[in-house]
Amino acid sequence: MSEKSGIVILGIFAADTAYKAKRLPHIAETLMGSGFTLGPGGKGSNQAIAAAKAGGKVTFISRVGNDPFGEMALAAYSQAGVKANVMKMDGVSSGAAFIFVDEVSGDNAIIVVPGAAGLIDIEDVEANRAAIESAAIFMTQLEQPLEAALHGLSMAKKAGVTTIFNPAPARAIPDEIYGLCDFIVPNEVEAAELVGHAITTDEQVRAAGRALLDRGARAAVITLGGRGAYYHTADQSEFVPAFSAGNVIDTTGAGDAFLGGFATAISEGQTPIEAVRFGSATAAIAVTRPGTAPAMPSRAEISALLSSSY
């Protein structure tokens, strides 16, 4: 068998409709905004584009509707160099997301409707068995049905593929999924939901990392926004500071940028700490730009930031 290579990502596409304003409106209130963007999004889709632009060889598994948003998705994958193993469906719309962006802080709040990608099932995973089993990395999240994510992680794990699981959006997950994770990568909100306690202090972050390993994960990476990221295994624990690439404009795609960069670095054989730094640099650049997928940086930009930070 040939050596495993590349990254396979299972997830959803959603057209991001992003609205910038000073705050969210109250019920029955109309509020004037200060900006609007429309572009490709969805956690898995964003991660696939981020990984490809960072230099990864990426295959993305999903479903879209046979509609203008679906065409937007396929055009984005073609432009980024993502191999799109994406089913186009008649009679169902592509996914879409409402994104509120605070015009001062860049923080966000999101509502996602997965549309066609909400119909992803075990058959989609089985149809891509060859791609998954020959990959270096398999990565998935929780915007598509849990059963498909679980099946993909199990298939990859049995084939000796390194697995990365992003438990987002935050929700209860079965205990069996932890043992399928070479890397479980939540943000601080998702980690708090999983472990059942707040994550504000360094000790609480360390406790969360221990809890995720106790449940069966081989390694935990907890992203902490402007505080950086925390890497934890049975043998190593380290806080990795965040990078600065300029003024923060929009944090919507930060986590997906991190995961795309992280997966690319791991697929290339970088150490986990090097991969955390690579992912952090990817995210630092992405948040200086509006949008999600369109904000993902190139390999040259990531390398330049890493070089200038040492």
Side-chain angles (χ1 to χ4, degrees):
M1 179 181 289
S2 61
E3 186 178 352
K4 295 181 184 299
S5 66
I7 303 162
V8 173
I9 299 174
L10 171 70
I12 82 161
F13 166 84
D16 283 348
T17 64
Y19 305 79
K20 185 174 286 189
K22 60 185 178 181
R23 59 173 174 81
L24 281 165
H26 301 301
I27 298 299
E29 178 188 21
T30 298
L31 190 69
M32 298 300 292
S34 58
F36 172 80
T37 58
L38 169 66
K43 288 188 182 298
S45 182
N46 291 338
Q47 291 164 17
I49 290 172
K53 291 181 73 172
K57 176 186 174 185
V58 182
T59 298
F60 181 54
I61 303 167
S62 192
R63 298 191 189 194
V64 297
N66 188 9
D67 57 22
F69 284 169
E71 294 301 325
M72 176 196 295
L74 297 176
Y77 305 142
S78 177
Q79 183 176 12
V82 173
K83 182 181 179 184
N85 288 7
V86 175
M87 180 190 299
K88 290 180 67 174
M89 302 184 68
D90 293 320
V92 59
S93 65
S94 297
F98 160 81
I99 303 172
F100 161 73
V101 180
D102 185 297
E103 63 187 20
V104 176
S105 69
D107 291 338
N108 63 84
I110 304 172
I111 299 172
V112 177
V113 179
L119 301 174
I120 292 172
D121 59 22
I122 288 173
E123 277 108 28
D124 293 277
V125 178
E126 285 293 337
N128 288 278
R129 177 179 286 274
I132 292 170
E133 292 183 339
S134 63
I137 304 290
F138 175 77
M139 181 161 66
T140 191
Q141 330 73 27
L142 288 173
E143 286 186 330
Q144 78 288 321
L146 172 64
E147 293 76 14
L150 184 61
H151 193 69
L153 288 167
S154 178
M155 178 187 291
K157 191 71 171 174
K158 288 175 183 175
V161 176
T162 297
T163 56
I164 301 173
F165 177 51
N166 173 216
R171 56 174 289 186
I173 57 176
D175 290 342
E176 64 185 301
I177 208 164
Y178 292 97
L180 300 174
C181 301
D182 289 309
F183 299 95
I184 187 167
V185 189
N187 66 21
E188 54 198 323
V189 174
E190 294 146 4
E193 178 78 13
L194 291 176
V195 303
H197 63 74
I199 298 180
T200 54
T201 68
D202 286 356
E203 185 46 47
Q204 288 171 332
V205 175
R206 292 187 185 96
R210 291 192 296 269
L212 294 172
L213 261 63
D214 287 344
R215 295 179 188 183
R218 288 186 59 194
V221 181
I222 302 174
T223 58
L224 303 168
R227 297 164 58 199
Y230 176 67
Y231 174 72
H232 179 72
T233 69
D235 303 315
Q236 184 178 10
S237 295
E238 185 171 337
F239 283 92
V240 176
F243 290 84
S244 176
N247 293 331
V248 174
I249 293 175
D250 184 353
T251 63
T252 310
D256 297 332
F258 177 91
L259 279 148
F262 178 79
T264 297
I266 292 292
S267 75
E268 294 174 352
Q270 295 187 39
T271 69
I273 288 295
E274 289 171 337
V276 171
R277 293 192 182 103
F278 192 94
S280 295
T282 307
I285 299 168
V287 300
T288 66
R289 303 166 176 171
T292 52
M296 301 307 175
S298 68
R299 179 60 173 256
E301 291 173 312
I302 299 165
S303 297
L305 179 58
L306 286 166
S307 297
S308 68
S309 300
Y310 291 100

